[in-house]
Amino acid sequence: MTARAPEHPHDGSIALAPVTPLWHGLVAVYRAQLSRTRVSRVPLLFVAVFQSVGIMILMRGVVDTDSDSAREAVVAGSSVLVVAFVALNLLAQHFGALRAANALDYYKTLPVRPAAVVLGMAAAYASFTLPGTVATAAVGALMFQLPLANLWALLVVVPLSGAALAGVGAVCGLLAPRPELATLLGQMGMSAALLLGVIPADRMPWLIELGRDALPSSYGVDAFIATYGTPDWTAFGTNLAVCAGVGVVMLTLSTWAFRRTARG
């Protein structure tokens, strides 16, 4: 892919720099954003892991630990909750704050495509969740006597569910008219991921089960659950395919929202 040639206006204005290819722009934004979050990511991850482990301790006292489905749902739901906390909740707050401070204008001056800005930020937020998710899943497996053999599956579950949730978070942050609403939407999404993720799907009322099906994090939870016991790799792949599809749609929508916000 080649860089887009600069336009040469005839009204005396200064031509913008050539727009870099999408991949190069994405990598540049990703590295810059990862560097900015380097200081805060350790305490943020500590909070996310501490929260998820605390929920597992709480659930151990109230769920039927003789039920495989209950134990698997608690551990898988708590693990994916780390992703939801960072990729959905924090990213919605971040975009809401950028919009409120008119800081998105800075990215308009860069020779990168809007898609690269959104994808780079989403990838930076989603990528530093992996250590916390693995730590939560390992602690949960030991706490609920589940196998550790397929923890490698998180290498796939985290990026794909993270992409879907980061897309939702970016859309909330970019379209919410006020930063307070972006924060509210992010926290509501994370609460939904918590409540609908740690409770086994077969114990939910029909109507709430429909709400669970509409939540992208549920497919990440179901994919991780499919790796326990006798792994069901077909269900694993199907659920991750849904995460990938939702991720593409939501990141495309967030790119459109970024362009719309930048024009406004």
Side-chain angles (χ1 to χ4, degrees):
M1 184 183 294
T2 58
R4 187 194 306 169
E7 296 179 357
H8 299 284
H10 302 289
D11 57 0
S13 60
I14 299 174
L16 297 175
V19 176
T20 59
L22 176 63
W23 174 251
H24 292 169
L26 190 157
V27 171
V29 173
Y30 173 80
R31 287 177 175 173
Q33 195 63 37
L34 205 60
S35 177
R36 287 186 176 187
T37 57
R38 183 172 299 168
V39 176
S40 60
R41 64 185 174 185
V42 173
L44 287 176
L45 270 180
F46 176 78
V47 171
V49 173
F50 184 79
Q51 172 183 257
S52 292
V53 171
I55 288 168
M56 288 193 295
I57 293 173
L58 174 66
M59 295 298 288
R60 197 171 191 279
V62 297
V63 302
D64 178 12
T65 53
D66 292 331
S67 167
D68 289 343
S69 65
R71 291 185 290 125
E72 292 166 0
V74 169
V75 175
S78 299
S79 301
V80 174
L81 181 63
V82 178
V83 184
F85 177 81
V86 177
L88 197 164
N89 184 29
L90 294 186
L91 192 59
Q93 293 182 38
H94 182 62
F95 271 114
L98 287 177
R99 187 182 177 196
N102 293 322
L104 291 177
D105 291 345
Y106 165 73
Y107 293 97
K108 289 167 58 180
T109 66
L110 300 178
V112 297
R113 302 169 192 272
V117 176
V118 173
L119 291 173
M121 285 192 185
Y125 269 73
S127 63
F128 74 78
T129 63
L130 184 60
T133 307
V134 172
T136 301
V139 171
L142 296 174
M143 192 182 300
F144 286 88
Q145 293 84 49
L146 292 173
L148 291 163
N150 291 324
L151 279 185
W152 62 265
L154 290 172
L155 294 174
V156 188
V157 172
V158 171
L160 293 179
S161 60
L165 292 169
V168 175
V171 169
C172 291
L174 288 167
L175 294 184
R178 298 175 57 184
E180 294 85 358
L181 285 177
T183 300
L184 177 64
L185 290 172
Q187 291 181 346
M188 287 178 64
M190 191 192 69
S191 298
L194 164 62
L195 294 174
L196 301 179
V198 301
I199 300 174
D202 56 4
R203 300 188 183 187
M204 292 182 180
W206 174 76
L207 191 60
I208 296 180
E209 194 173 345
L210 287 180
R212 185 182 188 276
D213 292 342
L215 193 66
S217 62
S218 300
Y219 297 93
V221 172
D222 289 344
F224 193 35
I225 287 175
T227 66
Y228 287 125
T230 302
D232 183 349
W233 298 117
T234 301
F236 177 77
T238 302
N239 283 294
L240 289 184
V242 173
C243 285
V246 173
V248 169
V249 171
M250 295 310 298
L251 289 171
T252 302
L253 182 59
S254 59
T255 300
W256 167 83
F258 179 86
R259 286 197 182 97
R260 175 178 177 272
T261 304
R263 283 198 301 266

